[in-house]
Amino acid sequence: MPNSQTPNALGASPPLTPLTPLTQRFISHFGEMGSRWGINRTVGQIYALLYVLGQPLNADQIADYLTFSRSNVSMGLKELQSWRLVKLLHQPGDRREYFEPPKDIWDIFKTLLEERRRREIEPTLSMLRDALLENPANDIDKQAQQRMREMYNLIELSSSWFDDVQRLSPETLASLMKMGSKVKKLLDVRDKFRGTSSSSKTHGDHPDVQLTVQLKD
């Protein structure tokens, strides 16, 4: 249970609101899941605390809430900053640093995906590019390069799709997700139209235009 903080030379902190069993369960779960997402338990719980409380906290408050050491909290906050999942704030009359996550859940989602791509996907693409530029010395290398090329093309296609998704507004992205299997039906209709003569179609009737309009709606 966090204790009330007393005023000090850096500024006064108001008493901390005790965590409810619900918020404690949420924070504990994120700590347990952290290792599966490539972060440690401490980082996961710090982020969950900041997210679920929805207010800026300084390192001392975070340490008090989670009963972590100040050094562990500092390292965890640096890790979250490197992922761009928390931002640094200052409050009037207080020299301490405060931290909060992005307020928009879609910004958090996009940032997390972008950082994972930068850390995990781009190094693989770089390695594959270099490997595909080499002259195969034998049939085994030729077969290996063919398999690498298939992997490279798939990852590159996924990356292009990701770039397109990143440019969508949250409203459009949410609409696209809600459509689910309807997207495939729209694409099937588009392919049928492409298989017919376009001479009788006006620009406004083109299936690509219809698909764009429906996604925006």
Side-chain angles (χ1 to χ4, degrees), residues 62-157:
I62 295 170
D64 198 22
Y65 263 124
L66 301 177
T67 63
F68 291 162
S69 70
R70 182 66 164 71
S71 60
N72 281 345
V73 170
S74 295
M75 288 189 293
L77 288 170
K78 288 180 180 178
E79 178 71 10
L80 289 170
Q81 285 180 290
S82 73
W83 279 82
R84 296 185 294 122
L85 288 174
V86 296
K87 60 181 179 179
L88 176 65
L89 300 172
H90 288 92
Q91 297 187 357
D94 193 338
R95 298 202 304 271
R96 289 169 299 190
E97 296 177 338
Y98 286 76
F99 301 87
E100 71 172 1
K103 295 185 181 301
D104 192 325
I105 188 63
W106 289 106
D107 288 339
I108 297 172
F109 176 70
K110 289 182 177 181
T111 298
L112 187 59
L113 289 182
E114 185 177 342
E115 282 296 315
R116 293 198 72 94
R117 182 178 72 163
R118 183 177 68 83
R119 294 163 183 253
E120 301 169 13
I121 302 301
E122 290 182 1
T124 301
L125 281 175
S126 179
M127 177 271 158
L128 289 172
R129 289 191 195 100
D130 292 341
L132 292 174
L133 289 174
E134 294 184 14
N135 292 321
N138 48 52
D139 290 341
I140 294 177
D141 282 353
K142 287 182 180 179
Q143 180 179 349
Q145 278 190 327
Q146 177 57 35
R147 298 288 288 171
M148 292 179 195
R149 185 171 289 105
E150 292 173 359
M151 179 181 290
Y152 177 84
N153 290 338
L154 177 60
I155 296 176
E156 184 71 11
L157 179 62

Side-chain angles (χ1 to χ4, degrees), residues 13-47:
S13 292
L16 298 179
T17 304
L19 298 177
T20 66
L22 177 63
T23 56
Q24 288 177 337
R25 191 163 68 248
F26 177 81
I27 292 168
S28 177
H29 174 76
F30 260 73
E32 294 170 2
M33 293 298 296
S35 60
R36 304 184 187 185
W37 299 336
I39 59 175
N40 64 39
R41 172 179 170 273
T42 300
V43 175
Q45 288 196 356
I46 291 173
Y47 184 75

Side-chain angles (χ1 to χ4, degrees), residues 189-190 193 198 200-211:
V189 171
R190 181 199 64 182
F193 272 90
S198 60
S200 61
K201 298 184 182 70
T202 64
H203 180 71
D205 292 332
H206 194 281
D208 286 344
V209 175
Q210 294 174 345
L211 177 60

Side-chain angles (χ1 to χ4, degrees), residues 8 50 54 114 159 164 187 198:
N8 54 44
L50 291 170
E114 185 177 342
S159 294
D164 291 337
L187 294 176
S198 60

